[in-house]
Amino acid sequence: MKFNATSRSVQGSSASRRLRRAGRVPAIVYGGEAQPLNIELDHNEIYHALRKEAFHASILDMDLEGKSQSVLLRSVQWHPYKQQVLHVDFQRVSASQRIHTKVPVHFINGENSPAVKIGGAIISHVINELDVSCLPADLPAAIEVDLSNIEAGASVHLADITLPKGVTAVVHGDENPVLALAVVPAGNKGDDADAGQAEGASEE
């Protein structure tokens, strides 16, 4: 994805307020061998870009006054109650160096699983994004988790899925975290038990 940026020479809180009143957003680009670079962005352009999931988990093409740089979105500061972007941080990336970032997790086919169709379970998504390490060229826009075979009461762990080629999960604490659970509501269990009792009574 591509966005436009302009060099910013004036710094400080008062300068940033003037930028925001003019419909601009102060931002910074850091990382690599170059010094941190202060830039400014068009508010409307960056606001709409930030609403797209891919902008948060893709290598971005920053057009800085006619020169292109590859960067990764690192953090966004929003106004406490207005739909206004206050500041954005980007990190330079190199094609030959691994990056560490979060990638969204997309769960698919849960509605067709035995857990839902037969067991009446509700599938709970425990993790909606995953920390990964990879080269920029291998960064996936998302990681898909196929739930078509999950049974009622079962769970899907990190070890149960195959990550894209070149991508390694970065785990914290639990080496095999739960990604999703198929939980049967208490009411459904009760209905099954009542049905069983009714069958037993009719047989007698």
Side-chain angles (χ1 to χ4, degrees):
M1 298 184 68
K2 184 177 181 179
F3 69 98
N4 299 298
T6 305
S7 296
R8 174 168 57 99
S9 58
V10 182
Q11 302 178 45
S13 57
S14 59
S16 294
R17 285 194 294 269
R18 286 195 296 271
L19 278 176
R20 295 180 187 117
R21 285 196 295 268
R24 309 290 289 175
V25 179
I28 190 170
V29 183
Y30 60 84
E33 297 180 357
Q35 293 294 317
L37 177 64
N38 292 297
I39 59 172
E40 60 182 81
L41 314 168
D42 178 78
H43 184 273
N44 287 341
E45 180 185 1
I46 197 65
Y47 174 82
H48 290 293
L50 288 168
R51 294 170 64 88
K52 300 175 182 178
E53 183 184 68
F55 196 79
H56 295 258
S58 301
I59 302 302
L60 306 173
D61 183 12
M62 180 181 71
D63 186 333
L64 181 62
E65 299 166 347
K67 295 182 179 180
S68 180
Q69 294 186 34
S70 295
V71 300
L72 190 66
L73 177 68
R74 277 309 186 191
S75 68
V76 182
Q77 181 183 354
W78 292 86
H79 191 280
Y81 55 88
K82 295 180 182 178
Q83 293 296 307
Q84 181 183 11
V85 184
L86 298 181
H87 195 275
V88 186
D89 288 7
F90 297 99
Q91 180 185 352
R92 298 183 185 92
V93 297
S94 169
S96 60
Q97 293 183 346
R98 295 178 72 88
I99 56 175
H100 176 197
T101 189
K102 293 180 183 293
V103 172
V105 177
H106 290 173
F107 297 93
I108 61 173
N109 300 323
E111 67 279 5
N112 298 320
S113 66
V116 174
K117 298 188 75 172
I118 300 174
I122 296 174
I123 297 180
S124 174
H125 302 160
V126 179
I127 292 177
N128 291 312
E129 57 182 14
L130 190 65
D131 281 351
V132 301
S133 174
C134 63
L135 290 173
D138 295 328
L139 180 64
I143 293 173
E144 286 193 347
V145 177
D146 189 352
L147 300 174
S148 59
N149 295 318
I150 191 172
E151 302 280 350
S155 59
V156 176
H157 291 73
L158 177 61
D160 298 325
I161 69 171
T162 301
L163 295 174
K165 183 179 179 180
V167 177
T168 303
V170 180
V171 295
H172 308 278
D174 187 355
E175 294 184 358
N176 190 25
V178 175
L179 305 181
L181 295 166
V183 181
V184 179
N188 285 9
K189 294 179 180 178
D191 293 343
D192 293 341
D194 292 342
Q197 293 175 0
E199 290 178 5
S202 61
E203 290 175 359
E204 292 176 0

